[in-house]
């Protein structure tokens, strides 16, 4: 874990986790619950069970970090923004 440019980051290695990108909470659906869990994970909520989060699936922009940019991109993906239809997001 580190802070870079004011953003808390969690470096990860990309390995096949068994889930696709954005299946943050491992329930097989990409929805608002994934956004909620990713926000709690990146915000380091006290008492939050981090094992609920698939960190590889959480790296929706495939930059090998899980941070606020992934939350932003996941919100845009679920909101059906143009350019955010396919994961991982490569901007």
């Amino acid at each position: 874990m580190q802070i870079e440019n004011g953003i808390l980051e969690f470096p990860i290695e990309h390995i096949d986790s068994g889930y696709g990108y954005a299946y943050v909470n491992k329930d097989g659906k990409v929805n608002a619950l994934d956004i909620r869990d990713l926000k709690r994970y990146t915000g380091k909520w006290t008492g939050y069970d981090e094992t609920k989060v698939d960190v590889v699936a959480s790296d929706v922009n495939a930059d090998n970090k899980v941070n606020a940019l992934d939350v932003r991109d996941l919100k845009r993906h679920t909101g059906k923004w143009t350019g955010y239809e396919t994961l991982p997001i490569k901007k």
Side-chain angles (χ1 to χ4, degrees), residues 9-60:
E9 298 178 337
F10 301 85
I12 63 166
E13 290 182 36
H14 270 275
I15 55 174
D16 185 0
S17 65
Y19 299 94
Y21 285 100
Y23 294 104
V24 173
N25 62 10
K26 309 179 224 177
D27 69 355
K29 299 176 235 167
V30 178
N31 55 33
L33 297 177
D34 296 291
I35 295 168
R36 178 202 66 193
D37 290 340
L38 186 54
K39 286 172 73 174
R40 290 177 179 179
Y41 178 79
T42 58
K44 301 298 284 176
W45 276 38
T46 302
Y48 182 69
D49 181 7
E50 293 183 359
T51 63
K52 294 170 92 176
V53 172
D54 182 329
V55 292
V56 174
S58 299
D59 183 19
V60 297

